């Protein structure tokens, strides 16, 4: 198994620095880390991945059954750290990748030394006293919204797929594929993300964990951040003065600082 | 008209698009009159609220996970379809575009957002999506139909006699089409078994009909005729009667009888233009069964079929297959797999092999060809196990 091609692995930064794996959440791909990469690369070795079905992962590796649950994505992460024989890994997962990282560290605690959960939620759906913030019908709306942008996707991707990019380059040389994942794959990832319930897994994370949340985030609200931190034995919580679900873009300085302070060997 | 008299303020407020200015974090700064009218809000109701509050909850997730990163990273957003929710809860299908205003130092400062009514476009898109869903459903039906049809043409289980191992595999080249390959192994009497494997020309439902006919004709003929060559002649008559002058439908087939003798089986077979079976011996050699030279069944008026007889001793395995295997395209130059004798070399490298081992090895070989397998492949392996003590 060529994990490099499967997960479009890119390694940048300081060759002898501590190793950080950066895993993107639902919606975009590894390019979303760029502002953070710029701030961390002088000190850390950074390994970026695209989950299968996102970004420039190998389309031939797509498997509906496997990638219909977070376990499928976590299996890939475990395979990556084993195949590349990585040790003392700091795994940074954004959004749903926080939980994918949690499942990976439960399966392979000897290689992943620390976990950073950026805007995590172990369960998006309200359940009894637990307030995930969403209902099943909200998730159906999301799936519908993904569907409705299918034509936009086809239109935007056509020049990429045909190999004749006739559009002006996106500002700052972002790849044409950025945030434009195949809607059929995105739908499966969306269901795996928003219909998963990993609340019981939190107590099984035994590595030092940093939970980073935003002061205002509709997708991972503050009570969810507190819930996550309370249940992970060796964890602490940092709240960034930021709005939205992607602080690595809206508050890259604060996000990178929090990751760096935690990832530095003590 | 004096251009200085034209009111840009009027254009901002009352132009045919909704305009909105927001802070980088999405907090609304200013909304034009057109958008306020569409949404049914007072002028003072929106500033300070998040732009994403105007979406449905599902739309907000989509916006926060896709469109915010896209806008912030690339500086612009084009071609986005989202519903806005009016003050009284109704949904407005909108087409959104946005870009980022930078300050004198080039730092991002504000979001400029434009919304255009997309009701017409949305209904058009919904029709297209509906059409796409219909096509996907149809395709799923075709897949299920092909799978059912394919299964109906193959024996659910092989029933080999005691002292014989049988293993078969069917490798479909395409999930949504039915090839014409078939095989079977069945008892004729207490000491005699019949088997066949073949390939009807063409694909699809027409081919499947001929495949079904062929299977039943062979099984019926096998009961009344001891001689495999006669069984094929019988099949030839049946196909001729049923298909008339349709000479574009014919099949290549091997029919054989197995009779128990000593520790093994006597094999009598007849080939109607089919690729020659392989014989993997207990002594590690592999050879082709001498069965080349006959006509395909249903192709010519007075066909000639080639008979062959031999003995399968303990450790020997007979392998029948269809030409989807030998003609699979391989390598960079997309050559046919068996053009240079690769199949015999493959068989030699695996001999001796039990029926299940060689069937599995061929399945793995086909897997390794990937999309190079252009036609269905059927494999039937019959092996006499080595006598083991205890």
């Amino acid at each position: 198994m060529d994990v490099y091609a499967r997960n479009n692995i890119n390694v940048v930064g300081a060759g002898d620095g501590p190793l950080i794996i950066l895993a993107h959440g639902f919606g975009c791909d590894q390019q979303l880390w760029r502002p953070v990469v710029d701030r961390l690369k002088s000190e850390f070795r950074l390994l970026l991945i695209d989950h299968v079905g996102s970004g420039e992962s190998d389309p031939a590796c797509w498997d509906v059954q496997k990638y219909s649950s977070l376990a499928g994505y976590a299996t890939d992460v475990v395979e990556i750290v084993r195949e590349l024989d990585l040790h003392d890994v700091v795994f940074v997962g954004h959004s749903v990748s926080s939980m994918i990282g949690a499942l990976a560290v439960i399966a392979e605690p000897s290689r992943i030394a620390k976990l950073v959960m950026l805007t995590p939620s172990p369960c998006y759906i309200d359940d009894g006293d637990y307030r995930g913030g969403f209902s099943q019908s909200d998730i159906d709306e999301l799936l519908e919204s993904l569907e409705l942008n299918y034509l936009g996707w086809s239109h935007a991707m056509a020049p990429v797929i045909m190999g004749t990019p006739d559009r002006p380059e996106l500002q700052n040389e972002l790849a044409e594929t950025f945030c434009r994942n195949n809607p059929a794959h995105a739908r499966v990832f969306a269901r795996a993300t928003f219909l998963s319930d990993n609340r019981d897994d939190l107590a099984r994370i035994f590595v030092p964990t940093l939970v980073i949340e935003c002061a205002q985030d509709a997708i991972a609200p503050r009570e969810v951040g507190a819930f996550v931190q309370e249940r992970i034995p060796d964890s602490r919580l940092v709240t960034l003065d930021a709005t939205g679900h992607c602080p690595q873009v809206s508050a890259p300085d604060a996000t990178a600082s929090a990751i760096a302070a935690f990832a530095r060997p003590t | 008209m004096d251009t200085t008299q034209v009111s840009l303020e009027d254009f901002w407020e009352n132009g045919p698009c909704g305009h909105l200015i927001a802070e980088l974090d999405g907090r609304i700064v200013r909304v034009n009159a057109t958008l306020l009218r569409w949404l049914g809000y007072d002028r003072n109701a929106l500033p300070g609220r998040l732009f994403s509050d105007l979406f449905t909850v599902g739309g907000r997730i989509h916006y926060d996970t896709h469109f915010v990163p896209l806008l912030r990273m690339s500086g612009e957003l084009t071609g986005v379809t989202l519903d806005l929710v009016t003050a009284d809860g109704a949904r407005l299908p909108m087409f959104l575009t946005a870009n980022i205003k930078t300050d004198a130092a080039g730092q991002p400062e504000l979001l400029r957002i434009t919304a255009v009514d997309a009701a017409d476009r949305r209904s058009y898109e919904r029709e297209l999506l509906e059409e796409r869903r219909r096509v996907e459903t149809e395709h799923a039906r075709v897949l299920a139909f092909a799978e059912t049809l394919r299964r109906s043409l193959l024996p659910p289980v092989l029933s080999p006699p005691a002292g014989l191992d049988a293993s078969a595999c069917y490798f479909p080249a395409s999930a949504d089409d039915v090839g014409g390959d078939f095989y079977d192994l069945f008892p004729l009497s207490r000491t005699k078994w019949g088997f066949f494997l073949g390939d009807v020309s063409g694909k699809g439902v027409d081919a499947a009909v001929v495949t079904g006919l062929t299977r039943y004709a062979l099984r019926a003929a096998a009961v009344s005729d001891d001689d495999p060559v006669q069984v094929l002649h019988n099949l030839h008559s049946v196909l001729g009667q049923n298909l008339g002058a349709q000479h574009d439908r014919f099949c290549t087939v091997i029919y054989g009888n197995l009779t128990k003798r000593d520790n093994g089986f006597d094999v009598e077979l007849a080939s109607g233009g089919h690729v020659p079976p392989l014989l993997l011996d207990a002594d590690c050699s592999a050879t082709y069964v001498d069965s080349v030279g006959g006509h395909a069944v249903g192709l010519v008026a007075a066909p000639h079929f080639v008979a062959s007889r031999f003995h399968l001793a303990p450790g020997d395995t007979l392998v029948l297959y269809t030409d989807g295997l030998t003609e699979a395209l391989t390598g960079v130059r997309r050559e046919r797999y068996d053009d240079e004798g690769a199949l015999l070399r493959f068989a030699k490298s695996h001999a001796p092999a039990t029926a299940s081992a060689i069937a599995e090895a061929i399945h793995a070989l086909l897997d390794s060809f990937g999309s190079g397998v252009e036609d269905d492949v059927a494999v039937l392996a019959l092996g006499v196990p080595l006598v083991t003590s205890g």
Side-chain angles (χ1 to χ4, degrees), chain A residues 3-4 9 11 19-21 45-49 76-91 108-113:
Chain A
V3 294
Y4 277 100
I9 292 177
V11 183
L19 178 67
I20 296 178
I21 293 182
R45 187 154 64 105
L46 306 167
L47 187 150
L48 295 118
I49 67 170
D76 287 353
V77 171
V78 170
E79 276 176 14
I80 288 168
V81 297
R82 287 183 183 157
E83 295 260 328
L84 308 185
D85 195 22
L86 306 176
H87 294 275
D88 300 319
V89 174
V90 180
F91 184 94
E108 186 54 288
S110 62
R111 292 173 184 272
I112 303 174

Side-chain angles (χ1 to χ4, degrees), chain B residues 32 53 111 123 148 164 241 256 262 289 364 386:
Chain B
N32 78 341
D53 285 348
L111 308 179
S123 62
T148 307
L164 186 80
Q241 278 163 16
D262 301 334
V289 174
L386 284 167

